[in-house]
Amino acid sequence: MPFVELEHVSLTYRLGKETTLALADATLGIERGEFIAVVGPSGCGKSTIMKLVTGLLPASGGDVKVAGQLVTGPIKGVGMAFQNPTLMPWRTTIGNVLLPMEVVEPHKRRFRRARAEYEARAMKLLGTVGLVDFAQKYPWQLSGGMQQRSNLCRALIHEPELLMLDEPFGALDAFTREELWGVMQALWLEKRFTGVLVTHDLREAVYLADTVYVMSRRPGRIVLSRKIDIPRPRTLATTFEPHFVDLVHELRDRIHQEHAQ
Amino acid sequence: MNGVGREVLKYAMPWLVMAALLVIWQIACIVFDIPEIILPKPTRIFAVFVMRFDVLMAYCGDTLWTTVVGFLLAIAGGLLLGLAIGASPFVYSGLYPLLIAFNAVPKVALVPILMIWVGVGSLPAVITAFVISFFPIVVNVATGLATIEPEMRDVLRSLGATRIEILTKVGIPRAMPYLFASLKVAITLAFIGSVISETVGGNNGIGFLMLSASARNDAPTTFAGLFAIAIMGVLMYAVCALVEKRMTRWAFRGEIVG
Ligand SMILES: Nc1ncnc2c1ncn2[C@@H]1O[C@H](COP(=O)(O)OP(=O)(O)OP(=O)(O)O)[C@@H](O)[C@H]1O
Ligand SMILES: [Mg+2]
Protein backbone atom coordinates (compact mmCIF):
# COMPACT_ATOMS: atom_id res chain seq x y z
CA MET A 1 0.00 0.00 0.00
CA PRO A 2 1.41 3.41 -0.94
CA PHE A 3 2.51 5.76 1.84
CA VAL A 4 0.63 8.72 0.38
CA GLU A 5 -2.57 8.07 -1.53
CA LEU A 6 -4.77 10.56 -3.36
CA GLU A 7 -8.02 9.16 -4.71
CA HIS A 8 -10.07 11.37 -7.02
CA VAL A 9 -9.19 14.37 -4.92
CA SER A 10 -10.71 17.69 -5.90
CA LEU A 11 -10.54 21.10 -4.34
CA THR A 12 -12.62 24.23 -4.80
CA TYR A 13 -11.48 27.52 -3.32
CA ARG A 14 -14.28 29.66 -2.08
CA LEU A 15 -14.23 33.37 -1.41
CA GLY A 16 -17.76 34.61 -0.77
CA LYS A 17 -19.81 33.65 -3.81
CA GLU A 18 -16.79 33.26 -6.02
CA THR A 19 -15.51 29.73 -6.43
CA THR A 20 -12.41 28.45 -8.18
CA LEU A 21 -12.08 24.80 -9.04
CA ALA A 22 -8.33 24.45 -8.53
CA LEU A 23 -7.96 20.71 -8.60
CA ALA A 24 -10.40 18.56 -10.56
CA ASP A 25 -9.39 14.96 -10.06
CA ALA A 26 -6.02 13.94 -8.75
CA THR A 27 -5.22 10.29 -8.23
CA LEU A 28 -1.74 9.19 -7.36
CA GLY A 29 0.15 6.97 -4.95
CA ILE A 30 3.58 7.57 -3.50
CA GLU A 31 5.52 4.65 -2.03
CA ARG A 32 7.36 5.00 1.24
CA GLY A 33 10.86 6.30 0.50
CA GLU A 34 9.95 7.36 -3.03
CA PHE A 35 10.84 10.80 -4.33
CA ILE A 36 8.31 12.19 -6.76
CA ALA A 37 8.07 15.45 -8.68
CA VAL A 38 4.95 17.27 -9.82
CA VAL A 39 5.17 19.53 -12.85
CA GLY A 40 2.54 21.42 -14.77
CA PRO A 41 1.43 24.80 -16.04
CA SER A 42 1.27 27.69 -13.61
CA GLY A 43 -1.92 27.80 -11.59
CA CYS A 44 -2.83 24.16 -12.22
CA GLY A 45 -3.06 23.30 -8.54
CA LYS A 46 0.40 22.03 -7.61
CA SER A 47 0.69 24.03 -4.41
CA THR A 48 -2.87 23.02 -3.67
CA ILE A 49 -1.88 19.34 -3.81
CA MET A 50 0.90 20.05 -1.30
CA LYS A 51 -1.55 21.63 1.10
CA LEU A 52 -3.99 18.77 0.68
CA VAL A 53 -1.41 16.09 1.39
CA THR A 54 -0.21 17.85 4.55
CA GLY A 55 -3.79 18.45 5.66
CA LEU A 56 -3.44 22.22 5.66
CA LEU A 57 -6.52 22.32 3.43
CA PRO A 58 -9.44 19.87 3.59
CA ALA A 59 -10.26 18.23 0.25
CA SER A 60 -13.59 19.18 -1.34
CA GLY A 61 -13.96 15.70 -2.72
CA GLY A 62 -12.10 12.37 -2.67
CA ASP A 63 -9.78 10.90 -0.09
CA VAL A 64 -6.29 11.83 0.98
CA LYS A 65 -4.49 9.13 2.97
CA VAL A 66 -1.07 9.22 4.55
CA ALA A 67 0.33 6.05 6.11
CA GLY A 68 -3.08 4.44 5.72
CA GLN A 69 -4.78 7.17 7.75
CA LEU A 70 -7.39 9.48 6.28
CA VAL A 71 -6.07 13.06 6.49
CA THR A 72 -8.54 15.33 8.26
CA GLY A 73 -6.34 18.01 9.83
CA PRO A 74 -2.70 19.08 9.58
CA ILE A 75 -0.62 15.92 9.88
CA LYS A 76 2.23 16.16 12.30
CA GLY A 77 5.94 16.32 11.78
CA VAL A 78 6.03 16.89 8.04
CA GLY A 79 8.98 18.80 6.64
CA MET A 80 7.95 21.69 4.39
CA ALA A 81 9.89 24.16 2.33
CA PHE A 82 8.28 26.83 0.19
CA GLN A 83 9.54 28.95 -2.65
CA ASN A 84 10.21 31.88 -0.31
CA PRO A 85 12.27 30.73 2.63
CA THR A 86 9.92 32.01 5.42
CA LEU A 87 12.72 32.07 7.96
CA MET A 88 12.05 34.00 11.15
CA PRO A 89 14.06 37.21 11.06
CA TRP A 90 14.30 37.36 14.86
CA ARG A 91 16.10 34.02 15.05
CA THR A 92 19.63 33.16 13.98
CA THR A 93 20.13 30.56 11.27
CA ILE A 94 20.66 27.80 13.81
CA GLY A 95 17.69 29.04 15.83
CA ASN A 96 15.56 28.77 12.71
CA VAL A 97 16.84 25.30 11.90
CA LEU A 98 16.07 24.15 15.45
CA LEU A 99 12.46 25.34 15.28
CA PRO A 100 10.95 21.91 14.48
CA MET A 101 12.72 20.48 17.53
CA GLU A 102 10.76 22.83 19.74
CA VAL A 103 7.46 21.74 18.23
CA VAL A 104 7.68 18.11 17.10
CA GLU A 105 7.34 15.21 19.53
CA PRO A 106 9.38 13.56 20.97
CA HIS A 107 12.13 16.19 20.57
CA LYS A 108 9.99 18.90 22.07
CA ARG A 109 10.05 17.25 25.48
CA ARG A 110 13.81 16.77 25.53
CA PHE A 111 14.72 20.02 23.82
CA ARG A 112 15.55 22.14 26.85
CA ARG A 113 17.65 19.47 28.50
CA ALA A 114 19.43 18.24 25.40
CA ARG A 115 19.90 21.57 23.68
CA ALA A 116 23.64 21.06 23.14
CA GLU A 117 23.03 17.71 21.49
CA TYR A 118 20.40 19.21 19.17
CA GLU A 119 22.66 22.12 18.34
CA ALA A 120 25.41 19.70 17.38
CA ARG A 121 22.92 17.92 15.14
CA ALA A 122 21.86 21.20 13.52
CA MET A 123 25.48 22.18 12.96
CA LYS A 124 26.15 18.86 11.26
CA LEU A 125 23.21 19.43 8.94
CA LEU A 126 24.29 23.01 8.26
CA GLY A 127 27.69 21.55 7.45
CA THR A 128 26.24 19.40 4.67
CA VAL A 129 24.92 22.53 2.95
CA GLY A 130 28.06 24.58 3.68
CA LEU A 131 26.57 27.00 6.20
CA VAL A 132 28.57 26.27 9.36
CA ASP A 133 30.09 29.73 9.40
CA PHE A 134 26.69 31.35 9.19
CA ALA A 135 24.95 29.52 12.01
CA GLN A 136 24.96 32.56 14.28
CA LYS A 137 23.93 35.02 11.57
CA TYR A 138 20.39 36.26 11.06
CA PRO A 139 18.50 35.28 7.90
CA TRP A 140 18.61 38.83 6.57
CA GLN A 141 22.38 38.65 6.72
CA LEU A 142 22.36 35.69 4.33
CA SER A 143 22.07 35.62 0.56
CA GLY A 144 18.93 34.22 -1.04
CA GLY A 145 20.65 30.91 -1.78
CA MET A 146 21.93 30.61 1.78
CA GLN A 147 18.46 31.34 3.14
CA GLN A 148 17.04 28.62 0.95
CA ARG A 149 19.67 26.18 2.21
CA SER A 150 18.77 27.02 5.82
CA ASN A 151 15.15 26.52 4.86
CA LEU A 152 15.96 23.01 3.61
CA CYS A 153 17.82 22.29 6.85
CA ARG A 154 14.81 23.38 8.85
CA ALA A 155 12.59 21.09 6.79
CA LEU A 156 14.96 18.15 7.37
CA ILE A 157 16.29 18.51 10.91
CA HIS A 158 13.60 16.41 12.56
CA GLU A 159 14.10 13.69 9.93
CA PRO A 160 10.50 13.77 8.73
CA GLU A 161 9.09 10.75 6.99
CA LEU A 162 7.50 13.07 4.48
CA LEU A 163 9.26 16.05 2.91
CA MET A 164 7.20 18.52 0.89
CA LEU A 165 9.11 20.93 -1.33
CA ASP A 166 7.18 23.62 -3.19
CA GLU A 167 9.54 25.15 -5.73
CA PRO A 168 12.25 25.52 -3.10
CA PHE A 169 14.94 26.26 -5.68
CA GLY A 170 12.81 28.50 -7.89
CA ALA A 171 14.30 31.80 -6.81
CA LEU A 172 17.92 30.71 -7.11
CA ASP A 173 20.49 31.18 -9.84
CA ALA A 174 21.24 28.16 -12.03
CA PHE A 175 24.57 27.31 -10.37
CA THR A 176 23.28 27.35 -6.81
CA ARG A 177 20.24 25.44 -7.89
CA GLU A 178 22.22 22.65 -9.51
CA GLU A 179 24.49 22.50 -6.48
CA LEU A 180 21.46 22.10 -4.21
CA TRP A 181 20.10 19.28 -6.38
CA GLY A 182 23.24 17.39 -5.45
CA VAL A 183 22.83 18.25 -1.78
CA MET A 184 19.18 17.20 -1.85
CA GLN A 185 19.93 13.91 -3.56
CA ALA A 186 22.73 13.09 -1.10
CA LEU A 187 20.41 13.77 1.84
CA TRP A 188 17.72 11.63 0.32
CA LEU A 189 20.11 8.75 -0.40
CA GLU A 190 21.18 8.88 3.23
CA LYS A 191 17.80 9.27 4.93
CA ARG A 192 15.38 7.80 2.37
CA PHE A 193 12.42 9.93 3.36
CA THR A 194 9.38 10.19 1.11
CA GLY A 195 9.76 13.33 -0.98
CA VAL A 196 7.31 15.43 -2.97
CA LEU A 197 8.80 18.17 -5.10
CA VAL A 198 6.83 20.76 -7.02
CA THR A 199 8.86 22.47 -9.70
CA HIS A 200 8.76 24.29 -13.01
CA ASP A 201 12.20 23.06 -13.91
CA LEU A 202 11.90 19.79 -15.81
CA ARG A 203 15.61 19.02 -15.52
CA GLU A 204 15.28 19.39 -11.78
CA ALA A 205 12.31 17.04 -11.75
CA VAL A 206 14.10 14.37 -13.75
CA TYR A 207 17.32 14.76 -11.76
CA LEU A 208 15.68 14.30 -8.37
CA ALA A 209 12.58 12.18 -8.85
CA ASP A 210 11.79 8.50 -9.14
CA THR A 211 8.47 9.38 -10.74
CA VAL A 212 7.41 12.61 -12.41
CA TYR A 213 3.71 13.52 -12.58
CA VAL A 214 2.51 15.98 -15.20
CA MET A 215 -0.64 17.95 -14.48
CA SER A 216 -3.15 19.49 -16.86
CA ARG A 217 -4.11 23.14 -16.91
CA ARG A 218 -6.46 24.34 -14.22
CA PRO A 219 -8.56 22.58 -13.03
CA GLY A 220 -5.70 20.19 -12.49
CA ARG A 221 -5.70 16.50 -13.30
CA ILE A 222 -2.75 14.12 -13.52
CA VAL A 223 -2.22 13.54 -17.23
CA LEU A 224 1.07 11.67 -17.20
CA SER A 225 3.02 9.63 -14.73
CA ARG A 226 6.59 8.92 -15.86
CA LYS A 227 9.01 6.61 -14.06
CA ILE A 228 12.58 7.90 -14.17
CA ASP A 229 14.78 4.85 -14.56
CA ILE A 230 18.15 6.60 -14.32
CA PRO A 231 20.46 5.05 -11.72
CA ARG A 232 21.60 7.04 -8.71
CA PRO A 233 23.55 8.91 -7.69
CA ARG A 234 22.83 11.18 -10.63
CA THR A 235 25.35 13.89 -11.38
CA LEU A 236 25.40 17.01 -13.50
CA ALA A 237 27.08 14.91 -16.19
CA THR A 238 23.98 12.69 -16.15
CA THR A 239 21.85 15.65 -17.20
CA PHE A 240 23.65 15.75 -20.56
CA GLU A 241 23.20 12.06 -21.34
CA PRO A 242 20.78 11.30 -24.20
CA HIS A 243 18.34 9.33 -22.05
CA PHE A 244 18.03 12.18 -19.56
CA VAL A 245 17.54 14.69 -22.34
CA ASP A 246 14.91 12.46 -23.97
CA LEU A 247 12.95 12.26 -20.73
CA VAL A 248 13.04 16.03 -20.33
CA HIS A 249 11.81 16.44 -23.90
CA GLU A 250 9.02 13.97 -23.38
CA LEU A 251 7.80 15.88 -20.34
CA ARG A 252 8.17 19.20 -22.08
CA ASP A 253 6.10 18.02 -25.06
CA ARG A 254 3.34 16.88 -22.75
CA ILE A 255 3.24 20.24 -20.98
CA HIS A 256 3.25 22.08 -24.30
CA GLN A 257 0.14 20.16 -25.27
CA GLU A 258 -1.50 21.53 -22.16
CA HIS A 259 -0.53 25.07 -23.06
CA ALA A 260 -1.66 24.65 -26.67
CA GLN A 261 -5.20 23.67 -25.77
CA MET B 1 31.12 73.18 3.51
CA ASN B 2 32.91 69.96 4.35
CA GLY B 3 31.18 66.71 5.34
CA VAL B 4 31.85 66.90 9.08
CA GLY B 5 30.59 70.46 9.32
CA ARG B 6 27.44 69.44 7.52
CA GLU B 7 26.92 66.55 9.91
CA VAL B 8 27.42 68.76 12.97
CA LEU B 9 25.05 71.35 11.56
CA LYS B 10 22.41 68.69 10.97
CA TYR B 11 22.40 67.80 14.67
CA ALA B 12 22.72 71.43 15.81
CA MET B 13 19.82 72.58 13.61
CA PRO B 14 16.92 71.88 16.01
CA TRP B 15 18.77 73.66 18.83
CA LEU B 16 19.60 76.61 16.63
CA VAL B 17 15.98 76.93 15.51
CA MET B 18 14.79 76.75 19.10
CA ALA B 19 17.30 79.35 20.21
CA ALA B 20 16.25 81.61 17.35
CA LEU B 21 12.58 81.31 18.34
CA LEU B 22 13.36 82.19 21.94
CA VAL B 23 15.38 85.20 20.84
CA ILE B 24 12.56 86.40 18.59
CA TRP B 25 10.12 85.88 21.47
CA GLN B 26 12.34 87.86 23.82
CA ILE B 27 12.80 90.70 21.34
CA ALA B 28 9.07 90.81 20.58
CA CYS B 29 8.25 91.06 24.26
CA ILE B 30 10.62 93.99 24.65
CA VAL B 31 9.79 95.79 21.41
CA PHE B 32 6.00 95.53 21.76
CA ASP B 33 6.17 95.95 25.50
CA ILE B 34 3.91 92.95 26.13
CA PRO B 35 2.63 92.77 29.72
CA GLU B 36 4.10 89.89 31.67
CA ILE B 37 0.67 88.62 32.59
CA ILE B 38 -0.04 87.87 28.94
CA LEU B 39 3.31 86.66 27.69
CA PRO B 40 6.37 86.64 29.94
CA LYS B 41 9.84 86.99 28.48
CA PRO B 42 11.77 83.70 28.07
CA THR B 43 14.48 85.04 30.42
CA ARG B 44 11.86 85.64 33.08
CA ILE B 45 10.37 82.15 32.58
CA PHE B 46 13.86 80.69 32.85
CA ALA B 47 14.49 82.64 36.06
CA VAL B 48 11.25 81.32 37.57
CA PHE B 49 12.10 77.86 36.34
CA VAL B 50 15.40 77.96 38.21
CA MET B 51 13.97 79.69 41.29
CA ARG B 52 11.06 77.25 41.64
CA PHE B 53 12.98 74.24 40.44
CA ASP B 54 12.20 72.15 43.56
CA VAL B 55 8.49 72.83 43.39
CA LEU B 56 8.37 72.15 39.66
CA MET B 57 10.26 68.89 40.08
CA ALA B 58 7.94 67.74 42.85
CA TYR B 59 4.86 68.38 40.71
CA CYS B 60 6.56 66.87 37.65
CA GLY B 61 7.31 63.82 39.76
CA ASP B 62 3.60 63.39 40.46
CA THR B 63 2.75 63.65 36.80
CA LEU B 64 5.57 61.32 35.82
CA TRP B 65 4.35 58.78 38.33
CA THR B 66 0.72 58.80 37.16
CA THR B 67 1.81 58.77 33.52
CA VAL B 68 4.16 55.84 33.92
CA VAL B 69 1.73 53.77 35.97
CA GLY B 70 -1.07 54.39 33.45
CA PHE B 71 1.32 53.63 30.61
CA LEU B 72 2.55 50.36 32.11
CA LEU B 73 -1.03 49.25 32.70
CA ALA B 74 -1.80 50.15 29.10
CA ILE B 75 1.12 48.04 27.87
CA ALA B 76 -0.01 45.03 29.89
CA GLY B 77 -3.68 45.40 28.99
CA GLY B 78 -3.03 46.43 25.42
CA LEU B 79 -0.69 43.51 24.82
CA LEU B 80 -3.16 40.98 26.18
CA LEU B 81 -6.14 42.38 24.35
CA GLY B 82 -4.11 42.92 21.17
CA LEU B 83 -2.97 39.30 21.21
CA ALA B 84 -6.51 38.10 21.82
CA ILE B 85 -7.90 40.23 19.00
CA GLY B 86 -5.11 39.33 16.60
CA ALA B 87 -5.26 35.62 17.38
CA SER B 88 -9.00 35.00 17.42
CA PRO B 89 -11.44 36.11 14.74
CA PHE B 90 -14.25 35.86 17.29
CA VAL B 91 -12.67 38.24 19.74
CA TYR B 92 -11.87 40.45 16.80
CA SER B 93 -15.41 40.71 15.49
CA GLY B 94 -16.77 41.06 19.00
CA LEU B 95 -14.47 43.70 20.39
CA TYR B 96 -12.90 45.65 17.58
CA PRO B 97 -15.95 47.74 16.63
CA LEU B 98 -16.51 48.55 20.30
CA LEU B 99 -12.92 49.60 20.72
CA ILE B 100 -13.14 51.89 17.74
CA ALA B 101 -16.33 53.43 19.04
CA PHE B 102 -14.76 53.87 22.44
CA ASN B 103 -11.67 55.45 20.95
CA ALA B 104 -13.86 58.03 19.23
CA VAL B 105 -14.95 59.39 22.62
CA PRO B 106 -12.79 62.36 23.60
CA LYS B 107 -11.13 61.16 26.78
CA VAL B 108 -11.47 64.52 28.56
CA ALA B 109 -15.15 63.70 28.77
CA LEU B 110 -14.30 60.78 31.04
CA VAL B 111 -12.51 62.81 33.69
CA PRO B 112 -15.64 64.21 35.40
CA ILE B 113 -17.11 60.70 35.52
CA LEU B 114 -13.90 59.30 36.93
CA MET B 115 -13.99 61.99 39.58
CA ILE B 116 -17.45 60.90 40.61
CA TRP B 117 -16.22 57.35 40.90
CA VAL B 118 -12.78 57.63 42.41
CA GLY B 119 -12.59 61.24 43.62
CA VAL B 120 -9.74 63.64 42.96
CA GLY B 121 -6.09 62.70 43.27
CA SER B 122 -3.71 60.47 41.36
CA LEU B 123 -6.18 57.76 40.47
CA PRO B 124 -8.19 59.65 37.81
CA ALA B 125 -4.91 60.70 36.22
CA VAL B 126 -3.64 57.11 36.12
CA ILE B 127 -6.92 55.86 34.68
CA THR B 128 -7.08 58.62 32.06
CA ALA B 129 -3.48 57.91 31.04
CA PHE B 130 -4.30 54.21 30.78
CA VAL B 131 -7.51 54.66 28.82
CA ILE B 132 -6.04 57.06 26.32
CA SER B 133 -2.81 55.18 25.60
CA PHE B 134 -4.39 51.75 25.50
CA PHE B 135 -5.86 51.94 22.03
CA PRO B 136 -2.77 52.38 19.83
CA ILE B 137 -1.09 49.48 21.62
CA VAL B 138 -4.04 47.15 21.03
CA VAL B 139 -4.32 48.12 17.37
CA ASN B 140 -0.62 47.73 16.72
CA VAL B 141 -0.24 44.39 18.45
CA ALA B 142 -3.33 43.04 16.70
CA THR B 143 -1.99 44.26 13.35
CA GLY B 144 1.34 42.57 14.01
CA LEU B 145 -0.42 39.28 14.60
CA ALA B 146 -2.87 39.60 11.73
CA THR B 147 -0.09 40.19 9.20
CA ILE B 148 1.85 37.00 9.89
CA GLU B 149 2.82 35.46 6.55
CA PRO B 150 0.46 32.53 5.88
CA GLU B 151 3.46 30.42 4.84
CA MET B 152 5.08 30.92 8.22
CA ARG B 153 1.90 29.72 9.85
CA ASP B 154 1.72 26.77 7.43
CA VAL B 155 5.27 25.70 8.26
CA LEU B 156 4.34 25.55 11.93
CA ARG B 157 0.99 23.91 11.35
CA SER B 158 2.54 21.19 9.24
CA LEU B 159 4.97 20.51 12.09
CA GLY B 160 1.94 19.89 14.26
CA ALA B 161 2.18 23.07 16.32
CA THR B 162 -0.76 23.99 18.52
CA ARG B 163 -2.39 27.40 18.35
CA ILE B 164 -0.57 28.41 21.51
CA GLU B 165 2.75 27.35 20.01
CA ILE B 166 2.05 29.31 16.85
CA LEU B 167 1.26 32.31 19.02
CA THR B 168 4.42 32.08 21.11
CA LYS B 169 6.82 31.08 18.34
CA VAL B 170 5.62 33.44 15.63
CA GLY B 171 2.82 35.65 16.88
CA ILE B 172 4.46 37.31 19.83
CA PRO B 173 7.93 37.86 18.31
CA ARG B 174 6.21 39.14 15.18
CA ALA B 175 4.04 41.55 17.20
CA MET B 176 6.96 42.96 19.20
CA PRO B 177 8.19 45.57 16.71
CA TYR B 178 4.60 46.72 16.33
CA LEU B 179 4.27 46.94 20.10
CA PHE B 180 7.47 48.93 20.47
CA ALA B 181 6.52 51.21 17.61
CA SER B 182 3.25 51.97 19.37
CA LEU B 183 4.98 52.82 22.65
CA LYS B 184 6.28 56.13 21.34
CA VAL B 185 2.76 57.18 20.48
CA ALA B 186 1.30 55.64 23.63
CA ILE B 187 3.64 57.36 26.09
CA THR B 188 2.86 60.74 24.56
CA LEU B 189 -0.85 60.02 24.82
CA ALA B 190 -0.52 58.74 28.40
CA PHE B 191 1.23 61.96 29.29
CA ILE B 192 -1.50 64.02 27.65
CA GLY B 193 -4.09 61.98 29.54
CA SER B 194 -2.39 62.58 32.87
CA VAL B 195 -2.00 66.31 32.36
CA ILE B 196 -5.57 66.69 31.09
CA SER B 197 -6.90 64.91 34.12
CA GLU B 198 -4.81 67.06 36.46
CA THR B 199 -5.94 70.19 34.72
CA VAL B 200 -9.62 69.31 34.63
CA GLY B 201 -9.82 68.08 38.19
CA GLY B 202 -6.67 67.26 40.05
CA ASN B 203 -5.00 68.27 43.24
CA ASN B 204 -1.43 67.60 42.25
CA GLY B 205 0.79 67.19 39.22
CA ILE B 206 2.17 69.72 36.81
CA GLY B 207 -1.26 70.31 35.22
CA PHE B 208 -2.65 71.31 38.58
CA LEU B 209 0.35 73.57 39.23
CA MET B 210 -0.25 75.39 35.94
CA LEU B 211 -3.95 75.70 36.62
CA SER B 212 -3.46 77.17 40.08
CA ALA B 213 -0.67 79.47 38.88
CA SER B 214 -2.86 80.82 36.11
CA ALA B 215 -5.70 81.30 38.60
CA ARG B 216 -3.30 83.55 40.53
CA ASN B 217 -2.42 85.34 37.29
CA ASP B 218 1.12 84.07 37.77
CA ALA B 219 1.97 83.78 34.08
CA PRO B 220 5.73 83.11 34.50
CA THR B 221 5.05 80.06 36.67
CA THR B 222 2.37 78.82 34.27
CA PHE B 223 4.84 79.09 31.40
CA ALA B 224 7.59 77.48 33.46
CA GLY B 225 5.17 74.57 33.96
CA LEU B 226 4.57 74.42 30.22
CA PHE B 227 8.30 74.23 29.58
CA ALA B 228 8.65 71.48 32.16
CA ILE B 229 5.88 69.53 30.43
CA ALA B 230 7.53 69.93 27.05
CA ILE B 231 10.88 68.72 28.37
CA MET B 232 9.29 65.74 30.11
CA GLY B 233 7.32 64.79 27.03
CA VAL B 234 10.41 64.86 24.83
CA LEU B 235 12.41 62.83 27.34
CA MET B 236 9.76 60.14 27.67
CA TYR B 237 9.44 59.91 23.90
CA ALA B 238 13.21 59.59 23.60
CA VAL B 239 13.33 56.76 26.14
CA CYS B 240 10.66 54.84 24.23
CA ALA B 241 12.38 55.45 20.90
CA LEU B 242 15.61 54.13 22.37
CA VAL B 243 13.92 51.03 23.77
CA GLU B 244 12.32 50.41 20.40
CA LYS B 245 15.64 50.58 18.60
CA ARG B 246 17.29 48.25 21.09
CA MET B 247 14.58 45.62 21.16
CA THR B 248 13.69 45.24 17.52
CA ARG B 249 16.93 45.34 15.63
CA TRP B 250 15.86 42.47 13.42
CA ALA B 251 12.85 44.38 12.18
CA PHE B 252 15.18 47.00 10.74
CA ARG B 253 17.30 44.22 9.24
CA GLY B 254 20.28 45.62 11.08
CA GLU B 255 20.39 48.69 8.88
CA ILE B 256 20.06 50.97 11.86
CA VAL B 257 23.08 50.25 14.00
CA GLY B 258 23.22 53.55 15.87
N1 LIG C 1 -6.34 30.90 -1.35
C1 LIG C 1 -6.88 30.83 -2.57
N2 LIG C 1 -8.11 31.33 -2.80
C2 LIG C 1 -8.68 31.25 -4.00
N3 LIG C 1 -8.10 30.71 -5.08
C3 LIG C 1 -6.87 30.20 -4.93
C4 LIG C 1 -6.19 30.23 -3.67
N4 LIG C 1 -4.99 29.63 -3.83
C5 LIG C 1 -4.92 29.26 -5.10
N5 LIG C 1 -6.04 29.57 -5.80
C6 LIG C 1 -6.33 29.28 -7.18
O1 LIG C 1 -6.20 27.90 -7.37
C7 LIG C 1 -5.49 27.62 -8.56
C8 LIG C 1 -4.33 26.70 -8.25
O2 LIG C 1 -3.42 27.36 -7.39
P1 LIG C 1 -2.05 26.73 -6.97
O3 LIG C 1 -1.41 27.70 -6.05
O4 LIG C 1 -2.26 25.36 -6.47
O5 LIG C 1 -1.28 26.70 -8.35
P2 LIG C 1 0.18 26.18 -8.68
O6 LIG C 1 0.03 25.03 -9.58
O7 LIG C 1 0.94 25.99 -7.44
O8 LIG C 1 0.75 27.41 -9.50
P3 LIG C 1 2.25 27.95 -9.55
O9 LIG C 1 3.00 26.98 -10.37
O10 LIG C 1 2.10 29.25 -10.27
O11 LIG C 1 2.72 28.07 -8.15
C9 LIG C 1 -5.08 28.94 -9.16
O12 LIG C 1 -5.89 29.18 -10.28
C10 LIG C 1 -5.36 29.95 -8.10
O13 LIG C 1 -5.92 31.10 -8.68
MG1 LIG D 1 2.54 27.05 -6.47
Side-chain angles (χ1 to χ4, degrees), chain A:
Chain A
M1 193 182 64
F3 182 56
V4 176
E5 270 184 288
L6 268 62
E7 281 169 16
H8 307 290
V9 174
S10 65
L11 188 108
T12 309
Y13 283 107
R14 221 168 242 114
L15 192 74
K17 272 192 219 142
E18 207 178 319
T19 59
T20 314
L21 180 62
L23 199 62
D25 177 6
T27 300
L28 60 92
I30 310 166
E31 296 301 326
R32 193 179 283 272
E34 193 187 11
F35 200 115
I36 68 135
V38 180
V39 297
S42 178
C44 70
K46 301 184 294 296
S47 300
T48 304
I49 286 195
M50 304 294 266
K51 288 188 180 154
L52 287 168
V53 170
T54 48
L56 292 172
L57 276 178
S60 310
D63 286 342
V64 181
K65 281 186 196 155
V66 174
Q69 297 275 324
L70 203 62
V71 173
T72 50
I75 53 174
K76 297 192 173 188
V78 190
M80 267 203 129
F82 296 100
Q83 175 164 8
N84 62 346
T86 62
L87 298 169
M88 301 177 176
W90 55 88
R91 286 179 176 230
T92 57
T93 303
I94 189 161
N96 269 292
V97 172
L98 284 172
L99 175 78
M101 296 313 201
E102 300 169 25
V103 176
V104 177
E105 299 281 6
H107 308 293
K108 172 172 150 177
R109 253 173 292 152
R110 311 183 46 229
F111 186 74
R112 264 168 217 269
R113 267 177 296 138
R115 187 166 182 117
E117 180 192 319
Y118 282 120
E119 274 178 2
R121 193 159 146 187
M123 287 308 279
K124 187 162 162 258
L125 192 57
L126 284 171
T128 59
V129 297
L131 277 182
V132 171
D133 295 338
F134 292 87
Q136 301 304 333
K137 293 262 191 295
Y138 287 90
W140 33 270
Q141 295 173 306
L142 306 184
S143 72
M146 291 168 165
Q147 289 182 27
Q148 204 48 270
R149 278 181 264 177
S150 328
N151 189 21
L152 285 180
C153 288
R154 181 179 64 184
L156 285 163
I157 182 85
H158 54 300
E159 305 198 343
E161 282 194 293
L162 183 59
L163 182 69
M164 310 293 286
L165 304 168
D166 195 349
E167 300 181 41
F169 313 123
L172 304 179
D173 66 283
F175 298 108
T176 316
R177 197 184 309 172
E178 286 169 359
E179 186 191 320
L180 285 182
W181 296 351
V183 170
M184 195 69 239
Q185 176 178 246
L187 287 168
W188 180 77
L189 286 173
E190 191 193 326
K191 306 263 168 36
R192 289 289 176 167
F193 45 81
T194 308
V196 180
L197 169 76
V198 165
T199 179
H200 282 134
D201 184 338
L202 300 178
R203 288 173 63 238
E204 178 173 302
V206 175
Y207 184 106
L208 283 169
D210 297 318
T211 313
V212 177
Y213 292 91
V214 178
M215 289 180 64
S216 68
R217 287 188 315 165
R218 186 173 69 84
R221 274 169 296 107
I222 308 270
V223 290
L224 176 70
S225 148
R226 187 70 173 90
K227 286 258 179 276
I228 308 297
D229 49 359
I230 303 172
R232 295 184 192 259
R234 300 167 189 164
T235 62
L236 274 188
T238 317
T239 65
F240 298 105
E241 285 170 9
H243 185 47
F244 188 101
V245 176
D246 287 346
L247 281 169
V248 171
H249 276 302
E250 184 188 334
L251 294 171
R252 177 154 293 140
D253 287 344
R254 191 62 191 82
I255 292 180
H256 270 292
Q257 277 181 37
E258 284 306 317
H259 275 289
Q261 275 171 20

